Amino acid sequence: MTDHPFDQAMTLSVVGEPSEGRFEGLPSAYYWNMVGPYGGITAATVVKALMQHPQRLGEPIALTVNYAAALTLKPFTLTARPARTNRSTQHWTMEMTQLDDQGQPCVVLTATAVTAARRSTWRQIDHPMPQVPPPDQVEVALRAKGVAWLDRYEMRAIDGGLPAVWDGSGEHSRSLLWMRDTPARALDFLSLTSFADLFIPRVWVRRATRVPVGTVSMTVYFHAGPAELLAAGTDHLLGQAQAQAFHDGFFDQHGQIWSRDGHLLVTTHQIVYYKE
Amino acid sequence: MTDHPFDQAMTLSVVGEPSEGRFEGLPSAYYWNMVGPYGGITAATVVKALMQHPQRLGEPIALTVNYAAALTLKPFTLTARPARTNRSTQHWTMEMTQLDDQGQPCVVLTATAVTAARRSTWRQIDHPMPQVPPPDQVEVALRAKGVAWLDRYEMRAIDGGLPAVWDGSGEHSRSLLWMRDTPARALDFLSLTSFADLFIPRVWVRRATRVPVGTVSMTVYFHAGPAELLAAGTDHLLGQAQAQAFHDGFFDQHGQIWSRDGHLLVTTHQIVYYKE
């Protein structure tokens, strides 16, 4: 635990017996978005609960978080249950609730995860990192004013950044950017999870039109262990994201995050609600 | 309900009050794989429970199934719970159990899903269907003998089919194939879900080496409504799948399924255990 805003945002208190997997926390104002906290930080909180659970086996392999409602700036309860533990893999079910105005617990997030004790095997990266200029040759993106979480990340867009003009002139949905915590912070499974949600909405890039959006479900696959996290350290990561289909209110996004030395750390997908 | 093997495999009985979302079923021997049923058919069963649930709102948008253990040829219990219902979206949590040798219920699958009442919006397909020869100009793939589920599908591989020789000579992990139910069956959300798991293991294609594999988690995003399903009918669908990373026991797969007229019906992802 450090005084980095990210670590503060990851603070969870154990409620009851640790083996019950019941935690309490408070969404971090440091990572506030327009309505509710930045989704990446909420997803990272789910992984934090896993990492803190006394029955956890191995490291994160897969995570799916479903954003059921915007969190409010009030305490939440997060439960993590190992639904099945095999010899080398473990299946998790998670749920986050907040009290509504009547004091009733309401589900704001559901999630599942798989953790596993990895074994060394044949390795191959079949999606190599694109050739791009190094971070110091790419300008830091301008930030929207008054959106707290944007101050927590350094983003240097090589392609598909926030449109300079909203004139409906978009031609493709790909974004490619260098990303890093502000201030810099050594990479772990928590921050890697949060980086997976860092891309601006594909529909904004594709249409150069700002329509209301909200991520409904995000999946993160981890292709890294402690050695790859350590090697990535506090350096920039390269992220790429692209949409494949926009259909009647929902579009998909698939993305990749590489360490600067070209290891594909994460592949990620989400489906996002959009209006109009 | 027809006498098509797929519809027989989808048979679920309601246990207790319909609103409890508790179902019983039996894995179908028609779709048996080497150990347990074909994963696609199990995923489709989860969607069947959703579609049959009296509280369901709208159509499937996203589904994540986590395969916790191989199902045995014994009855299963499947529960589907609407964790949160909003005005136009609904979040589902599902769990499938089977009794173990001691008669205790054991979790064999966990899942989450999102359904939604879609509204007509701006549409765009940003991953167009590759140019390929029509199905009747592509040979039907040879089937492994004695694997029941392979007899339930017609597969015509254009690229990345089952390696002719297992000599470690693989060069890429992409498969491209025409797919159809045998016998032909009109497309619905259930069969679309099952098609999403139809690809042979990426690691076999990539390495031309047969190593033990098992899908751990699969996510399906639907980009189709009733009109697109109706238009696809009983015709062939084009499927494409590719891996991005093979790392210490787990590789990813991302895939697309188009109707013959080029609509991207589904984008799908999975993470798969592999040995060696």
Side-chain angles (χ1 to χ4, degrees), chain B residues 84-103:
Chain B
R84 171 107 185 191
T85 302
N86 297 317
R87 202 168 38 177
S88 66
T89 60
Q90 193 172 40
H91 287 260
W92 292 88
T93 301
M94 282 84 74
E95 196 165 89
M96 191 184 275
T97 58
Q98 286 193 314
L99 299 183
D100 68 10
D101 294 341
Q102 283 76 49

Side-chain angles (χ1 to χ4, degrees), chain A residues 3 21-22 34 43 49 53 62 68 87 92 131 137 140 145 149 179 183 200 207 211 227 233-234 247 264 273 275:
Chain A
D3 58 0
R22 202 172 157 79
M34 281 166 288
H53 198 292
R87 203 165 39 174
W92 293 87
Q131 294 277 342
Q137 290 177 28
V140 173
K145 288 207 178 85
W149 79 273
M179 41 175 75
I200 59 173
R207 297 174 68 184
V211 297
T234 60
H247 183 81
L264 183 54
Y273 164 80
K275 203 172 171 178

Side-chain angles (χ1 to χ4, degrees), chain A residues 66 68 81 84 86 95 107 112 118 121-124 126-127 206 244 246-248 256 269 274, chain B residues 66 68 81 84 86 95 107 112 118 121-124 126-127 206 244 246-248 256 269 274:
Chain A
N66 304 287
R81 176 175 66 94
R84 170 105 186 193
N86 297 316
E95 196 164 270
V107 172
T112 61
R118 285 187 186 266
T121 63
W122 180 83
R123 291 177 176 189
Q124 178 69 28
D126 264 4
H127 194 148
R206 183 65 182 80
Q244 300 179 92
F246 301 82
H247 183 81
D248 286 359
Q256 301 82 28
H269 315 95
Y274 68 103
Chain B
N66 303 287
R81 178 175 64 92
R84 171 107 185 191
N86 297 317
E95 196 165 89
V107 172
T112 60
R118 285 186 185 267
T121 64
W122 179 83
R123 291 177 175 190
Q124 177 69 30
D126 264 4
H127 194 149
R206 183 63 182 81
Q244 299 178 92
F246 301 83
H247 183 81
D248 288 359
Q256 300 82 29
H269 316 95
Y274 68 104

Side-chain angles (χ1 to χ4, degrees), chain A residues 61-62 64 66-69 81 83-84 86 88-89 91-93 95 106-108 110-114 116-128 171-173 203 206-207 216-219 221-225 228 242-256 263-264 267-271 273-276, chain B residues 61-62 64 66-69 81 83-84 86 88-89 91-93 95 106-108 110-114 116-128 171-173 203 206-207 216-219 221-225 228 242-256 263-264 267-271 273-276:
Chain A
I61 301 294
T64 295
N66 304 287
Y67 298 99
R81 176 175 66 94
R84 170 105 186 193
N86 297 316
S88 66
T89 59
H91 286 258
W92 293 87
T93 300
E95 196 164 270
C106 270
V107 172
V108 292
T110 66
T112 61
V114 179
R118 285 187 186 266
R119 265 174 286 210
S120 183
T121 63
W122 180 83
R123 291 177 176 189
Q124 178 69 28
I125 290 172
D126 264 4
H127 194 148
E171 284 172 1
H172 67 80
S173 69
V203 70
R206 183 65 182 80
R207 297 174 68 184
V216 168
S217 182
M218 174 170 76
T219 291
Y221 295 154
F222 300 90
H223 309 296
E228 289 75 25
Q242 197 156 357
Q244 300 179 92
F246 301 82
H247 183 81
D248 286 359
F250 297 89
F251 68 84
D252 79 311
Q253 169 181 290
H254 66 113
Q256 301 82 28
H263 186 84
L264 183 54
T267 51
T268 183
H269 315 95
Q270 53 179 266
I271 191 143
Y273 164 80
Y274 68 103
K275 203 172 171 178
E276 296 164 29
Chain B
I61 302 294
T64 294
N66 303 287
Y67 299 99
R81 178 175 64 92
R84 171 107 185 191
N86 297 317
S88 66
T89 60
H91 287 260
W92 292 88
T93 301
E95 196 165 89
C106 271
V107 172
V108 293
T110 64
T112 60
V114 179
R118 285 186 185 267
R119 263 173 288 209
S120 182
T121 64
W122 179 83
R123 291 177 175 190
Q124 177 69 30
I125 290 172
D126 264 4
H127 194 149
E171 283 172 2
H172 67 80
S173 69
V203 70
R206 183 63 182 81
R207 298 173 68 185
V216 169
S217 182
M218 174 170 77
T219 291
Y221 295 154
F222 300 91
H223 308 296
E228 290 76 25
Q242 196 157 359
Q244 299 178 92
F246 301 83
H247 183 81
D248 288 359
F250 296 89
F251 68 83
D252 78 309
Q253 169 181 288
H254 67 113
Q256 300 82 29
H263 187 85
L264 183 54
T267 52
T268 182
H269 316 95
Q270 53 179 266
I271 191 144
Y273 163 80
Y274 68 104
K275 203 172 172 176
E276 296 163 28

Side-chain angles (χ1 to χ4, degrees), chain B residues 127-141:
Chain B
H127 194 149
M129 184 164 79
Q131 294 275 342
V132 294
D136 60 8
Q137 289 177 28
V138 182
E139 269 186 58
V140 174

